[in-house]
Amino acid sequence: MVRGAALVAIVVGAIGCGPRAVPATTTPAGDEITLYRDRAVIKQRVELEVPVADRATVNVTIAAGVSVEDVVVLDRGELTISELRGRSAPALPSGPTELTFVVAAPRAGRFAVHLGYVTDRLTWGAAYTMTTTAARTSVTLRGAIAIHNTSGIPLVARAYVVDSELGPWRGRIAEQLGSSLAGTVKSTTPLAMPRALGRIELGAGETRVELLPNEPPRAMRSVLVFDPVGTKLDHGGSAPIRDVNLGVLGAAPLRVTESFEIPRKTASSEGLPGGPVRLLQRNADGSLAVLGEARLFDVATRVAEVDTVAIGTAEGVTGRRERREITIDDDDKRLVEEFVLTIKNTRKVPVDVVLREHLYRGQNWTLAYQTAREPTKEGPQQISLRTTVPASGEGKVLYVVVYTWP
């Protein structure tokens, strides 16, 4: 996946009147980069033409910091590879690695070899903007991923991004396979899906790639959100945390936020990496004002059907969260908690409120009972419940969650 100027592959004939140098070529359409949170996996196609049916030596420049032990020959085709060695470029100790391998060809002709390796020299971050008008009835979502290349070589390839670290993502793939073949228990954490970025060129430094270049406007509506805990207590293990004081809040009223709710479009949102978002308002004179900030597409909200962006405190509306019961049954390996969420509305009109709860003790949970409408799972440990609170009144929602462990 390296451009011709950056990939130097030379085949040297082993017989005849002496060494014969024949430059190899690359086919970027056959190369791939998959960007994970911690590393990138590179699949590189090297094409070479062997003038005679004999042994040949191929020199390839690959990313800096990659040792020969980290390189895997994914597909050698008809060739036999008998030797593989590498070293860093002498002029640049931190520069690209020069990889050399010896091949044996069954005949004269053109051949291809696919190499694979992992590098930490490609890092990235995603960010989004939502732009609305003074009417605040729709928004236009745009996003970009900034990729920073310090590999020492320019890269050209079909690229994908996976919003997960490489090791855990592979573990989840194995877990899903084991579940389907052996009936093992699946994690409730939704799997990060690869997002295609198209064919990109990565020179040294930063390259920006648009994520939603032609996305049509999305509907937007005002809503109140009560989210008293947030994700800070989330525990990703299968066995629940048993601390009876975990998540118990005081009796003081808690903040409810004025927010905007934006439905997701499944087809265009699938696989988008998590990142910060700014909600902007374009005024009549063309100026932009920041209304609020949030995050989109994080693990906690990976399967959510809507996104919410808070823009301030909801005047005249407050909430309370009270735990009514906790029971730990070691014999049946069950932990049961019951909560009551109370919303007090002093406004002269009814209000619709989204109650966002985090089932932070562990990932093996079941919502056993609830009195709200539209209970929705938004992520591995996040749910939303909805209620309407009457004018100058009070509303209560009760729910029971059951955690289990092996």
Side-chain angles (χ1 to χ4, degrees):
M1 78 184 47
V2 184
R3 284 187 285 191
L7 173 62
V8 180
I10 297 178
V11 180
V12 180
I15 62 172
C17 299
R20 182 184 303 174
V22 179
T25 60
T26 61
T27 306
D31 299 334
E32 288 183 4
I33 302 173
T34 303
L35 301 163
Y36 296 87
R37 279 290 178 186
D38 54 343
R39 287 172 288 178
V41 177
I42 295 180
K43 177 183 176 183
Q44 181 170 320
R45 176 185 172 93
V46 180
E47 291 188 357
L48 54 143
E49 188 165 347
V50 181
V52 293
D54 209 331
R55 290 164 60 85
T57 300
V58 182
N59 298 320
V60 181
T61 302
I62 61 175
V66 179
S67 66
V68 66
E69 293 83 5
D70 299 325
V71 178
V72 177
V73 180
L74 301 173
D75 184 359
R76 65 194 68 198
E78 300 178 76
L79 299 174
T80 300
I81 298 179
S82 59
E83 185 178 349
L84 191 66
R85 59 184 183 271
R87 64 186 178 88
S88 296
L92 297 170
S94 61
T97 298
E98 294 179 356
L99 183 69
T100 301
F101 55 95
V102 177
V103 302
R107 54 180 169 76
R110 194 169 186 83
F111 302 89
V113 176
H114 289 88
L115 306 177
Y117 56 91
V118 175
T119 177
D120 60 0
R121 301 300 181 93
L122 295 176
T123 57
W124 60 272
Y128 301 89
T129 60
M130 288 180 174
T131 307
T132 186
T133 63
R136 299 184 180 180
T137 57
S138 66
V139 293
T140 300
L141 175 63
R142 292 290 181 264
I145 181 171
I147 306 170
H148 196 68
N149 178 16
T150 59
S151 68
I153 55 176
L155 300 167
V156 173
R158 288 178 290 119
Y160 303 85
V161 60
V162 179
D163 193 4
S164 174
E165 293 188 347
L166 177 58
W169 191 81
R170 283 180 169 174
R172 289 296 316 287
I173 292 291
E175 175 193 285
Q176 286 200 343
L177 181 61
S179 176
S180 61
L181 296 179
T184 57
V185 177
K186 287 185 180 180
S187 169
T188 60
T189 305
L191 184 67
M193 301 298 294
R195 176 80 176 194
L197 303 178
R199 183 177 179 273
I200 62 175
E201 299 187 16
L202 300 177
E206 185 175 283
T207 300
R208 289 177 59 84
V209 179
E210 294 296 318
L211 293 172
L212 294 158
N214 300 307
E215 185 72 2
R218 304 181 180 206
M220 181 175 75
R221 73 183 188 96
S222 178
V223 70
L224 304 186
V225 176
F226 182 50
D227 186 356
V229 178
T231 60
K232 59 183 179 295
L233 299 179
D234 285 3
H235 167 63
S238 58
I241 295 178
R242 300 156 63 94
D243 179 3
V244 296
N245 295 316
L246 185 68
V248 176
L249 306 178
L254 299 171
R255 180 175 182 249
V256 175
T257 61
E258 292 277 4
S259 303
F260 284 105
E261 183 175 79
I262 302 96
R264 285 191 186 176
K265 296 183 179 179
T266 303
S268 60
S269 298
E270 186 173 73
L272 284 173
V277 62
R278 278 189 166 188
L279 176 60
L280 307 174
Q281 177 176 302
R282 187 175 297 281
N283 300 315
D285 61 0
S287 63
L288 289 172
V290 178
L291 298 181
E293 297 182 345
R295 290 189 63 85
L296 296 181
F297 311 117
D298 282 337
V299 175
T301 62
R302 187 165 284 162
V303 296
E305 297 177 354
V306 298
D307 294 295
T308 55
V309 180
I311 62 171
T313 300
E315 297 296 331
V317 183
T318 55
R320 293 198 309 275
R321 181 179 191 265
E322 177 188 2
R323 188 179 68 195
R324 291 279 184 87
E325 179 188 349
I326 179 169
T327 302
I328 301 176
D329 185 343
D330 288 316
D331 293 333
D332 290 333
K333 297 182 178 179
R334 288 160 45 97
L335 189 154
V336 181
E337 278 188 295
E338 178 181 310
F339 290 92
V340 173
L341 308 174
T342 303
I343 303 297
K344 184 177 181 180
N345 176 25
T346 62
R347 296 181 181 182
K348 302 304 181 183
V349 295
V351 293
D352 292 328
V353 184
V354 176
L355 310 168
R356 183 158 289 134
E357 280 290 280
H358 302 266
L359 310 180
Y360 39 74
R361 290 188 180 273
Q363 293 197 1
N364 291 340
W365 56 268
T366 300
L367 192 62
Y369 178 76
Q370 55 81 29
T371 62
R373 69 175 193 268
E374 301 178 49
T376 304
K377 180 179 178 180
E378 297 184 329
Q381 294 174 264
Q382 181 170 305
I383 61 172
S384 66
L385 308 165
R386 293 174 184 263
T387 190
T388 299
V389 184
S392 303
E394 192 174 80
K396 293 181 181 290
V397 170
L398 179 145
Y399 77 89
V400 178
V401 59
V402 179
Y403 298 90
T404 59
W405 60 93

